[in-house]
Amino acid sequence: MIKPVKLRLFLDSNVLLGGIVSEWGLDKAVLSLCAAKIARLVLAQAVRDEIEENLLIHAQRLPAPEADKLIENYRRVIDLTSPEIVPYPHSTVLRNARNMIRHEADVPVLLSAIAAQPDWLLSHNTKHFTPAVAERTGLRIATPMQFFRTLSTLLH
């Protein structure tokens, strides 16, 4: 029997966070694909750190039971998806790659994606993760909606 190849999905923090905090939507659908082992979550340590920091800030604004549930949902996503972790890029590489993307905070994320070579980099940040960035890096960058629209054409 031939084992099918899983799509490797590199998620920017806005997609991952959206999937964790939303009741439903395409961000959550992406995480569901990863939790069901239909796709593999590729998670940059830079994204993971950003998510954990933002979740703690968000949780502080919530009543204790809701905050606990939010943190538990994050832990559950990590457990269910068993992500492939991509380490931080070396500081020398970070300095030399500053001009690759418009926003400096996105440099470690972009370099992590380049190192991982996922099938897709999914982000809502179309202002920084542009078609020009995709062309320069050879990455397939899309929003979750663009990803699912492309996926749906393959299933017909």
Side-chain angles (χ1 to χ4, degrees):
M1 185 168 131
I2 297 172
K3 186 176 179 182
V5 177
K6 289 182 190 175
L7 285 176
R8 294 173 60 247
L9 305 177
F10 185 105
L11 305 186
D12 193 8
S13 60
N14 51 50
V15 175
L16 185 56
L17 187 61
I20 293 166
V21 301
S22 299
E23 291 287 323
W24 64 278
L26 295 180
D27 295 343
K28 184 150 314 272
V30 168
L31 290 181
S32 295
L33 287 176
C34 296
K37 307 293 189 220
I38 294 167
R40 180 81 194 263
L41 173 60
V42 179
L43 181 59
Q45 189 62 49
V47 169
R48 188 176 191 163
D49 289 350
E50 184 179 342
I51 287 293
E52 290 176 1
E53 182 180 318
N54 286 331
L55 281 174
L56 289 175
I57 290 168
H58 188 72
Q60 289 174 347
R61 298 183 199 134
L62 298 172
E66 289 178 42
D68 291 345
K69 184 177 181 190
L70 179 66
I71 301 302
E72 181 53 36
N73 285 347
Y74 168 71
R75 287 188 182 122
R76 185 156 168 74
V77 163
I78 297 301
D79 287 344
L80 288 173
T81 60
S82 304
E84 173 186 332
I85 304 295
V86 182
Y88 272 98
H90 191 274
S91 59
T92 306
V93 177
L94 283 170
R95 280 191 303 276
N96 293 336
R98 174 57 194 99
N99 64 345
M100 291 184 76
I101 193 163
R102 188 173 174 189
H103 190 241
E104 189 172 351
D106 291 327
V107 174
V109 175
L110 182 63
L111 289 175
S112 296
I114 292 168
Q117 288 297 296
D119 296 302
W120 293 85
L121 185 163
L122 300 181
S123 178
H124 291 291
N125 187 351
T126 57
K127 185 176 176 183
H128 299 145
F129 288 94
T130 63
V133 170
E135 189 174 321
R136 274 196 307 272
T137 61
L139 293 168
R140 184 184 286 169
I141 301 173
T143 64
M145 181 168 296
Q146 292 165 330
F147 167 72
F148 278 108
R149 283 185 177 153
T150 302
L151 195 59
S152 73
T153 64
L154 301 173
L155 298 174
H156 284 100

